[in-house]
Amino acid sequence: MGKPSVTVTTAKAIINSEYTLIKSHSKYKLPAHLVKLDASTSEGRITVAKLFYRRFMRLMPFVSNVKMVRDTYRDYLRYKFIRENYELKRYLVFNPTELGSKNNAELISSTECGDKPLPVQEMQRTLEFVLKSCSYLPETKDQKWDIARDNTYCRQILKNLLTMQYEKYRSDRHRGVGHDELDVKFSHLRTTFDPLTKLNKGDKKKIPLFKVFSDFDTTLVYLNESLGTRL
């Protein structure tokens, strides 16, 4: 005989040994007044960014039961909102042959995060993506198979993304590849297309690791272009 199932019901959720059903979804979704906010001003950017950041953070308990995965998700969110220069990352992916001049790359690198337009539409689609990845439906015809499969794809992609991000953190601690190299300077994207003769002996040892991260980040940028997201 299996163990008896215990169901806990609260004002906000119904919980059993396998699933959690959230009764109210409002705090995970964007407010209706978002469309009235002006994200083109400095004050408006901060307000809108906070709205998104809070909602992404509220989803953290549903991302995984594993603390390490939740911690990686939290750290990745902080990086995305505070430090990432996505335009530079995108430029390095789509313009690998122009790295010799580096004029545009240096210009993008020098742009402060607060001076960049806030990609509200991409952020909305990214929030929808994470919401799907945290939602569960069994994949049966009776349970809207196409929607269930879509949620599964989102969940698998997010899992792979967080796994790779965790490997980047491990590289910082154990492999001599600094966090700034991978997620600030994007050295792995630059080095992939630079002649190896320009690299010193220490950097040449990083090439295999750089290649793995470069392939993943390149694929991620193309995925974002296809979905209109900012994963």
Side-chain angles (χ1 to χ4, degrees):
M1 294 180 62
K3 294 182 179 180
S5 177
V6 177
T7 300
V8 178
T9 302
T10 68
K12 297 182 179 180
I14 301 174
I15 307 166
N16 63 19
S17 59
E18 294 185 81
Y19 306 110
T20 299
L21 174 64
I22 303 299
K23 294 180 179 180
S24 175
H25 308 136
S26 58
K27 72 175 185 177
Y28 305 103
K29 296 182 178 180
L30 295 169
H33 69 270
L34 175 68
V35 295
K36 299 179 181 179
L37 297 176
D38 184 6
S40 63
T41 65
S42 177
E43 184 178 351
R45 280 197 298 270
I46 294 173
T47 301
V48 173
K50 285 182 177 179
L51 283 173
F52 277 101
Y53 184 76
R54 290 193 192 104
R55 280 150 184 82
F56 278 113
M57 275 297 185
R58 287 168 185 167
L59 291 171
M60 183 170 61
F62 308 107
V63 169
S64 175
N65 292 326
V66 181
K67 183 179 183 300
M68 179 189 70
V69 179
R70 294 196 302 271
D71 289 347
T72 303
Y73 174 83
R74 178 201 61 208
D75 293 341
Y76 187 59
L77 272 184
R78 290 174 178 170
Y79 160 71
K80 293 287 287 185
F81 275 85
I82 298 172
R83 297 200 68 189
E84 185 187 47
N85 186 338
Y86 186 81
E87 291 304 321
L88 174 60
K89 181 178 182 178
R90 185 179 182 277
Y91 177 84
L92 293 173
V93 168
F94 287 113
N95 302 276
T97 59
E98 297 180 19
L99 293 182
S101 65
K102 297 185 180 179
N103 291 333
N104 289 336
E106 289 176 359
L107 178 62
I108 296 172
S109 298
S110 64
T111 305
E112 295 293 333
C113 292
D115 297 331
K116 300 169 189 170
L118 201 64
V120 177
Q121 188 174 32
E122 288 90 338
M123 293 169 75
Q124 283 182 287
R125 290 176 179 170
T126 305
L127 181 60
E128 291 171 3
F129 185 98
V130 178
L131 276 166
K132 286 182 178 181
S133 72
C134 297
S135 304
Y136 174 77
L137 280 175
E139 293 185 12
T140 64
K141 291 183 179 179
D142 294 335
Q143 292 289 340
K144 300 181 180 178
W145 187 90
D146 54 338
I147 298 177
R149 171 53 56 170
D150 193 36
N151 290 354
T152 300
Y153 284 146
C154 292
R155 185 161 51 252
Q156 291 171 340
I157 291 171
L158 182 62
K159 178 183 177 181
N160 289 338
L161 170 59
L162 294 177
T163 298
M164 188 59 70
Q165 198 62 27
Y166 178 73
E167 288 300 318
K168 287 184 179 180
Y169 296 148
R170 287 187 69 243
S171 297
D172 184 16
R173 297 170 186 169
H174 306 297
R175 298 170 183 164
V177 179
H179 177 264
D180 282 1
E181 282 189 89
L182 295 173
D183 283 338
V184 179
K185 299 176 183 177
F186 303 114
S187 298
H188 57 302
L189 294 174
R190 299 173 187 268
T191 304
T192 301
F193 300 101
D194 276 349
L196 298 186
T197 53
K198 294 183 179 180
L199 302 176
N200 59 43
K201 186 176 181 180
D203 285 339
K204 286 182 180 180
K205 293 180 179 179
K206 301 174 184 177
I207 290 296
L209 192 62
F210 277 3
K211 184 66 169 65
V212 172
F213 291 139
S214 176
D215 288 347
F216 181 83
D217 278 343
T218 298
T219 302
L220 183 61
V221 169
Y222 276 103
L223 178 66
N224 283 332
E225 293 293 311
S226 300
L227 301 180
T229 53
R230 279 291 182 95
L231 295 169

